[in-house]
């Protein structure tokens, strides 16, 4: 994705061969940047949620271990 974004940023009428195509590339690049930003934010939120879920699972396991150790004594 980064390579494609870099190529779009380098587009110009002398590269694409047409002023309208250059404008379309710029519009697409802007939309793509926005979409990638949204995707990155979503992936970060998912990662944070997974970290919190794992932490909660470890805490629950520890609570069960402590409770079971108390009953065995």
């Amino acid at each position: 994705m980064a390579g494609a974004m870099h190529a779009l940023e380098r587009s110009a009428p002398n590269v694409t061969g047409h002023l309208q195509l250059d404008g379309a590339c710029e519009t697409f690049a802007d939309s793509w940047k926005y979409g990638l930003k949204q995707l990155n934010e979503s992936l970060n939120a998912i990662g944070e949620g997974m970290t919190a879920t794992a932490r909660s699972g470890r805490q629950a396991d520890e609570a069960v271990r402590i409770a079971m150790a108390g009953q065995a004594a």
Side-chain angles (χ1 to χ4, degrees):
M1 287 186 191
M5 287 302 301
H6 183 65
L8 281 171
E9 289 169 356
R10 291 189 337 249
S11 69
N14 62 337
V15 175
T16 62
H18 196 277
L19 185 60
Q20 287 179 323
L21 179 56
D22 182 53
C25 287
E26 184 177 348
T27 299
F28 178 76
D30 290 343
S31 295
W32 200 357
K33 283 180 188 178
Y34 175 77
L36 288 175
K37 180 179 179 257
Q38 298 290 35
L39 178 60
N40 189 45
E41 290 173 1
S42 294
L43 290 173
N44 283 332
I46 290 169
E48 290 172 6
M50 291 177 74
T51 298
T53 300
R55 185 180 322 111
S56 295
R58 286 190 301 273
Q59 290 171 345
D61 286 347
E62 181 63 11
V64 168
R65 186 192 65 77
I66 291 169
M68 296 298 284
Q71 289 179 357

